[in-house]
């Protein structure tokens, strides 16, 4: 009875604390993820007040949190949308992977962590935070902007890449050889391809089978189906998160919308628990030694993400302002970086990888919303100054009898949506 009471007090305090942190973050309009990570650091190994009896339950809740994160992401997209994105935007996905995964791999090798850690850290630096970016786009009123489909396409391609990447990482962390790893990857690709095929051809039938007018029954069926598929996927040595993602893709229409509304509170609850759990297993004293590498990696990959978004938006014919907005929006890292790092921490391949990933995510989850808001105005200001300097040079040259012409002024056009520019002006 005593241990049960302590568990209730501990877990209740965790949930209450997360709620208060979420309200605080919402009041100042930034992502609560860094606060959740800091809470985990405060109450974990080497923290102010380490938890005891509730840690095992928090671990289970964290695993459910990862599954729900990927399920909800899958519900956002239809199989036809994913196929279309693959056909039209795959060059942007390749550029994204090259520019943002390689710095992480290089840093791991420079630190002497070995090839497996290099593959893991490459994933940490590669994948942007869909949750943080979606919230930022909504907060800034950019969901209807012309560059937003480009941003979403890159995020979709990253999420699809997880279906291939996670099984590879899982096999590497398990110490599987080339043959076993190849079988695991083949199974993952086969399952992903089969689910996409079924979703495209029979998505309506699957949704009709799951559908129910009773919210309680719909919640139980979707949640139960997701956990079963995730468990089977994990048993086949394919990531449980990928299994959940594929379930989300298979559901569409009213079923997907209804499931999204019902599961959103559960997702938020267990995702918050997941971030706390990751922090619980990171000793705060282990962060200062890796702070400089994390900061260097954050600076480099912030610029590479901006370059990725700029290039992809330019390829899509977006104006210069929209290109900068697209690049700045993609900077934030968050839930997926922590999911990937969490696999490595659980496997115990490199003690410093978890602290570095925590510091890295803390930096970019705070910087990301700022780059989304200010990259375009800053680039515009610098362009105007450069254009002004060129114009002054041209005037001086003309006055001195030279035929030098001034550079044309920077593009002033805003990407408008429904007659409004990005700042909401008519």
């Amino acid at each position: 009875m005593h241990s049960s009471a302590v568990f209730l007090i501990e877990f209740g305090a965790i949930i209450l604390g997360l709620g208060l942190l979420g309200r605080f973050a919402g009041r100042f309009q930034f992502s609560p993820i860094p606060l959740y990570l800091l809470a985990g650091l405060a109450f974990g190994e080497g923290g102010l007040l380490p938890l005891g009896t509730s840690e095992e339950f928090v671990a289970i809740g964290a695993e459910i949190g990862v599954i729900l994160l990927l399920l909800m992401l899958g519900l956002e997209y239809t199989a036809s949308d994913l196929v279309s994105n693959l056909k039209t935007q795959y060059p942007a996905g390749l550029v994204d992977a090259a520019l943002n995964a390689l710095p992480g791999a290089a840093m791991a090798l420079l630190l002497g962590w070995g090839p497996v850690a290099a593959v893991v850290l490459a994933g940490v630096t590669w994948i942007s935070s869909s949750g943080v970016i979606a919230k930022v786009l909504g907060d800034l009123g950019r969901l209807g902007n012309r560059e937003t489909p480009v941003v979403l396409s890159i995020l979709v391609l990253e999420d699809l890449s997880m279906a291939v990447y996670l099984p590879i990482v899982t096999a590497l962390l398990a110490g599987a050889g080339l043959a076993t790893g190849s079988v695991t990857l083949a199974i993952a690709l086969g399952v992903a391809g089969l689910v996409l095929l079924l979703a495209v051809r029979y998505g309506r039938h699957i949704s009709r089978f799951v559908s129910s007018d009773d919210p309680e029954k719909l919640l139980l069926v979707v949640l139960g189906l997701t956990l079963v598929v995730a468990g089977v996927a994990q048993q086949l040595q394919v990531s449980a998160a990928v299994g959940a993602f594929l379930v989300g893709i298979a559901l569409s229409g009213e079923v997907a919308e209804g499931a999204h509304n019902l599961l959103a509170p559960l997702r938020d609850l267990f995702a918050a628990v997941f971030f706390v759990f990751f922090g619980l297993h990171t000793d705060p004293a282990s962060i200062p030694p890796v702070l400089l590498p994390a900061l260097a990696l954050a600076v480099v990959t912030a610029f590479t993400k901006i370059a990725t978004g700029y290039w992809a938006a330019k390829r899509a014919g977006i104006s210069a302002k929209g290109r900068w907005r697209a690049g700045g929006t993609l900077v934030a890292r968050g839930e997926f970086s922590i999911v990937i790092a969490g696999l490595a921490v659980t496997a115990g391949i490199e003690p410093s990888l978890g602290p570095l990933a925590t510091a890295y995510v803390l930096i970019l989850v705070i910087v990301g919303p700022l780059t989304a808001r200010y990259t375009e105005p800053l680039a515009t200001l610098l362009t105007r100054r450069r254009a002004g300097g060129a114009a002054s040079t041209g005037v001086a040259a003309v006055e001195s009898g030279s035929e030098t012409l001034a550079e044309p002024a920077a593009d002033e056009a805003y990407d408008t949506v429904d007659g409004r520019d990005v700042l909401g002006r008519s």
Side-chain angles (χ1 to χ4, degrees), residues 48-69:
L48 300 174
L49 185 63
L51 298 178
T53 58
S54 62
E55 187 170 350
E56 185 175 350
F57 186 82
V58 170
I60 297 172
E63 193 165 352
I64 294 174
V66 175
I67 291 170
L68 290 178
L69 278 170

Side-chain angles (χ1 to χ4, degrees), residues 5-161:
V6 173
F7 164 77
L8 291 174
I9 292 171
E10 278 193 2
F11 192 67
I14 291 172
I15 301 301
L16 176 60
L18 293 177
L20 295 175
L21 290 174
R23 288 176 62 179
F24 177 82
R27 184 170 183 178
F28 292 94
Q29 296 188 344
F30 67 91
S31 170
I33 291 175
L35 297 183
Y36 296 157
L37 287 171
L38 290 173
L41 290 172
F43 295 100
E45 301 174 5
L48 300 174
L49 185 63
L51 298 178
T53 58
S54 62
E55 187 170 350
E56 185 175 350
F57 186 82
V58 170
I60 297 172
E63 193 165 352
I64 294 174
V66 175
I67 291 170
L68 290 178
L69 278 170
L70 273 292
L71 169 66
M72 297 293 281
L73 187 66
L75 290 173
E76 296 289 338
Y77 312 110
T78 65
S80 58
D81 289 339
L82 293 176
V83 173
S84 175
N85 278 319
L86 278 174
K87 289 180 179 178
T88 59
Q89 297 293 340
Y90 73 90
L94 294 176
V95 170
D96 179 38
L99 289 182
N100 297 286
L102 290 178
M107 177 62 76
L109 294 177
L110 286 173
L111 293 172
W113 290 355
V116 176
V119 173
V120 173
L121 195 56
V124 171
T125 59
W126 172 19
I127 306 296
S128 297
S129 171
S130 299
V132 173
I133 290 171
K135 187 177 187 306
V136 167
L137 287 172
D139 291 343
L140 296 179
R142 295 183 183 175
L143 292 174
N145 277 26
R146 289 191 179 96
E147 76 275 3
T148 298
V150 175
V151 173
L152 295 179
S153 295
I154 292 174
L155 294 177
V156 169
L157 287 167
E158 288 180 351
D159 300 334
L160 281 175
S161 301

Side-chain angles (χ1 to χ4, degrees), residues 103-359:
M107 177 62 76
L109 294 177
L110 286 173
L111 293 172
W113 290 355
V116 176
V119 173
V120 173
L121 195 56
V124 171
T125 59
W126 172 19
I127 306 296
S128 297
S129 171
S130 299
V132 173
I133 290 171
K135 187 177 187 306
V136 167
L137 287 172
D139 291 343
L140 296 179
R142 295 183 183 175
L143 292 174
N145 277 26
R146 289 191 179 96
E147 76 275 3
T148 298
V150 175
V151 173
L152 295 179
S153 295
I154 292 174
L155 294 177
V156 169
L157 287 167
E158 288 180 351
D159 300 334
L160 281 175
S161 301
M162 293 278 283
V164 177
Y165 173 81
L166 287 177
I168 293 174
V169 170
T170 303
L172 289 174
L173 293 174
L178 180 61
T180 305
S182 300
V183 171
T184 300
L185 179 58
I187 292 173
L189 292 175
V191 171
L194 178 62
V195 171
L196 285 175
L197 179 64
L198 291 175
V200 170
R201 294 192 176 183
Y202 306 106
R204 292 183 180 178
H205 301 288
I206 297 172
S207 297
R208 192 177 303 135
F209 170 76
V210 174
S211 179
S212 174
D213 293 331
D214 187 337
E216 179 185 352
K217 294 184 178 65
L218 178 62
L219 173 63
L220 293 174
V221 171
V222 172
L223 183 58
L225 177 65
T226 302
L227 293 175
V228 168
V229 171
V232 171
Q234 190 158 311
Q235 194 70 22
L236 293 172
Q237 296 200 2
V238 179
S239 170
V242 171
F245 179 66
L246 295 174
V247 171
I249 292 173
L251 302 178
S252 61
E254 293 182 1
V255 173
E257 184 178 352
H260 187 283
N261 294 334
L262 290 170
L263 288 167
L266 281 178
R267 186 263 325 261
D268 294 340
L269 168 63
F270 285 105
V273 171
F274 166 71
F275 291 117
V276 169
F277 176 73
F278 188 84
L280 288 175
H281 287 265
T282 303
D283 187 348
S286 65
I287 290 181
V290 296
L291 193 56
L292 283 180
L295 183 60
L297 202 54
V299 171
V300 170
T301 54
F303 281 110
T304 55
K305 274 293 181 183
I306 291 173
T308 298
Y310 187 96
W311 182 87
K314 182 178 180 180
R315 181 175 175 271
I318 307 298
S319 73
K321 291 179 182 291
R323 297 171 201 169
W324 288 114
R325 289 195 295 267
T329 302
L330 287 169
V331 168
R333 306 319 198 265
E335 61 273 19
F336 295 133
S337 297
I338 296 298
V339 168
I340 295 166
L343 295 174
V345 170
T346 302
I349 62 161
E350 174 55 53
S352 297
L353 198 153
L356 188 145
T358 301

